Amino acid sequence: MTNDTATAASATVLPLSPGNWALDPLHSSVGFTVRHLGIAKVRGRFERLEAELFVGERVEDVRVSATVDLASIDTGNGDRDAHVRASDLLDVEKRPTMTYRSTLVSGEGEDWTMEGELTIGEVTRPVTLAVEFGGLVDVPMDGSRHAGFEATGEIRRSEFGLDFAPGLLGEVVKIQLDMQFVEPKNA
């Protein structure tokens, strides 16, 4: 990062209060899309995830981490899900989780970019996500403040050792995260 870039990032005003924001799991999801036979898309999601958002005083201090339980895959077809979990495909016994850890967050307003490292099994690769900040709202029922985000990106299966079923499944997997976080009580 050049000095001009670092200065611009430091000058960005963060719309979130500093502290550890808690994931609202009831209003958050991790979805994906992959091509089947090259002609149609199969959509799915993961039912179990954990995530943390730490907001510091500066953009450089923002950190995001997430862990997804790969056995919680749901494509709307139980037989397909069981097959995807099996040892000849995703092999959730060997690869029970997928984790993401941010390394750099930049942007302003509604449009942000998050660079980070995605780990599936024993393979870690850099993955950049485009992040849209959906805004802040005070929830009338309990007075808590929620922040909403949508993050999108893509990975190449073969880069993570998931090169099973070439020709049957597409190489590129598109990822979409819809996340809500709750402001720390001490903010």
Side-chain angles (χ1 to χ4, degrees):
M1 186 182 306
T2 67
N3 285 341
D4 291 340
T5 306
T7 302
S10 296
T12 301
V13 177
L14 292 174
L16 305 176
S17 301
N20 290 307
W21 288 65
L23 179 71
D24 177 351
L26 297 177
H27 300 101
S28 299
S29 65
V30 175
F32 66 90
T33 306
V34 64
R35 289 249 177 221
H36 180 254
L37 299 176
I39 58 172
K41 293 179 182 177
V42 172
R43 298 176 191 283
R45 58 178 283 149
F46 294 96
E47 299 292 328
R48 292 187 298 274
L49 70 138
E50 297 175 0
E52 297 176 359
L53 167 62
F54 172 78
V55 177
E57 297 292 332
R58 305 170 309 148
V59 172
E60 298 86 22
D61 300 328
V62 172
R63 291 188 306 277
V64 177
S65 62
T67 301
V68 174
D69 178 351
L70 293 178
S72 72
I73 192 169
D74 179 4
T75 64
N77 180 305
D79 290 339
R80 177 174 49 213
D81 296 343
H83 186 220
V84 171
R85 289 183 197 108
S87 61
D88 61 327
L89 296 180
L90 195 52
D91 195 356
V92 297
E93 293 295 319
K94 279 187 175 175
R95 295 183 277 258
T97 61
M98 170 173 57
T99 61
Y100 185 82
R101 183 182 64 81
S102 68
T103 56
L104 178 66
V105 175
S106 60
E108 60 184 312
E110 294 179 1
D111 298 316
W112 296 77
T113 300
M114 183 166 46
E115 296 176 32
E117 296 177 336
L118 179 68
T119 301
I120 302 174
E122 296 178 1
V123 180
T124 300
R125 296 280 185 261
V127 172
T128 299
L129 300 173
V131 179
E132 178 184 334
F133 175 55
L136 290 165
V137 67
D138 293 327
V139 177
M141 285 78 70
D142 64 6
S144 64
R145 176 170 278 190
H146 288 228
F149 302 89
E150 178 183 7
T152 57
E154 59 183 46
I155 64 169
R156 301 185 72 73
R157 293 187 310 119
S158 62
E159 292 179 355
F160 291 90
L162 304 174
D163 48 1
F164 51 80
L168 183 63
L169 291 178
E171 167 68 359
V172 174
V173 179
K174 295 185 178 183
I175 302 166
Q176 180 175 355
L177 299 97
D178 291 293
M179 310 291 274
Q180 273 192 43
F181 288 92
V182 181
E183 185 176 58
K185 297 231 185 268
N186 61 351

